[in-house]
Amino acid sequence: MKLVDINNKDALFTEAVARFKAARFPLASTGAGISVPSGIPDFRSRGGLWTKYNPEIYANLDVFLKDPEKTWELYRQTGRELQNKKPNGAHLALADLERHKKLRGVITQNIDRLHHAAGSENVLEIHGEFAHLQCLDCGNLEPVESSHFDAYPYPRCSRCEAALKPNIVLFGEAVRQLEAIETLIAQCDVLLVVGTSAKVYPAASLPEIVKRQGGLLFEFNLKPVLEQADYCFPGDVAKTLPAFANEL
Ligand code: ZN
C-alpha cells in the first residue's frame, strides 16, 4: 500500500497519475463515504439511522409486507435525509472523467442518485435508488415527492392503493444489475474505490476480481482500509479525488 499525498505532488503522485492514464478500462466503485461531504450521513456510522433502526428489521422485505407502517418509520426519515442534497466534488470529478472518456462507469452501493445529479451516465446501482417508490402489486414506479413522507400510515400506489416501498433493495430481495456489473468488471484493469470499506458483498468482491486479473486499485477514503490497494489517497474524498482527476 502506497500512501499518496495530494498536497505534495511527488514522484509517487506522478507515478499514480501515469498508471491511471495507461488504463484501458477504468471503473469506479463507490459507497456511503462519497456522499458524506454532501451531508448524507453513513447510515452505518455512529448516530446513523441504522443504529436507531435495526436494518434487518426495518429494511426487511418480510416486515414491509406484513407491517408497512412500521418500516415507513425508517423510510420516511431516510427519504427526508436524502432530499435536496447536491453532488460534491468527488461525484463531479467522476462525471467529468466519464465525459472525457477516461472512466467507463460507476458501480455504486448508494441509493441517493447523486452520481446522476453530477452527470454520470453509466451508473450501476447495486442496491437500487430512492428517487422512486415502487408498487410490488402492480409494478408502478412513482417519482418520490416530499408529500410521500407526510403520508400516514404509509404512501399508497396511485393506481392500486397498495403500500409503496422505496425502489431500494431490502433484506430478502436480490441485489440488482449483477450481470451488467460482472461484464464490466471482467474488463476492468484499474478500479477507483471511493468512500467504501468494500466489506459488503457484492461490492466487496470487485477489488478482489480486479486484483486477480492483474489490475490496479486506487483507494480514496478518509482513512485507508483496503489492504490490497496499490495507491491510497487518505483524506476528504471531495478534495482528494478532484485533485487527482485534475491531473488526468
Ligand atoms: Zn400499484
Side-chain angles (χ1 to χ4, degrees), residues 16-195:
V17 168
R19 293 191 81 180
F20 185 90
K21 279 185 172 175
R24 286 173 293 103
F25 205 96
L27 290 173
S29 166
T30 69
I34 195 172
S35 294
V36 170
S38 290
I40 300 174
D42 185 344
F43 301 139
R44 287 184 186 80
S45 69
R46 205 190 321 179
L49 277 176
W50 283 16
T51 61
K52 274 184 265 175
Y53 296 93
N54 180 349
E56 288 180 29
I57 297 169
Y58 285 86
N60 187 303
L61 181 65
D62 287 337
V63 181
F64 168 78
L65 293 172
K66 272 184 223 134
D67 190 356
E69 181 175 3
K70 181 184 176 81
T71 57
W72 266 95
E73 288 175 37
L74 173 64
Y75 308 155
R76 197 170 281 122
Q77 294 203 42
T78 308
R80 283 180 177 146
E81 280 196 357
L82 298 180
Q83 283 210 304
N84 305 316
K85 295 295 191 287
K86 303 255 183 321
N88 63 61
H91 297 102
L92 295 168
L94 293 179
D96 206 42
L97 287 176
E98 186 185 352
R99 202 173 300 120
H100 291 96
K101 314 276 183 228
K102 294 169 184 168
L103 190 72
R104 301 295 187 119
V106 178
I107 300 164
T108 188
Q109 301 163 66
N110 298 341
I111 58 169
D112 55 38
R113 281 272 148 135
L114 291 184
H115 287 300
H116 293 83
S120 287
E121 288 186 2
N122 192 20
V123 183
L124 302 174
E125 297 167 311
I126 300 177
H127 296 145
E129 46 84 14
F130 204 157
H132 296 86
L133 302 180
Q134 67 174 161
C135 174
L136 296 177
D137 283 17
C138 77
N140 189 18
L141 212 55
E142 299 190 12
V144 159
E145 288 168 23
S146 59
S147 61
H148 285 125
F149 306 129
D150 300 324
Y152 290 87
Y154 46 79
R156 291 173 181 276
C157 176
S158 58
R159 282 199 218 147
C160 78
E161 293 283 302
L164 289 168
K165 78 174 262 291
N167 187 27
I168 60 176
V169 173
L170 301 178
F171 287 93
E173 289 187 296
V175 293
R176 301 195 184 163
Q177 297 189 288
L178 266 191
E179 266 182 55
I181 291 168
E182 278 170 15
T183 305
L184 276 185
I185 208 76
Q187 305 168 76
C188 177
D189 59 344
V190 169
L191 183 66
L192 304 177
V193 179
V194 187

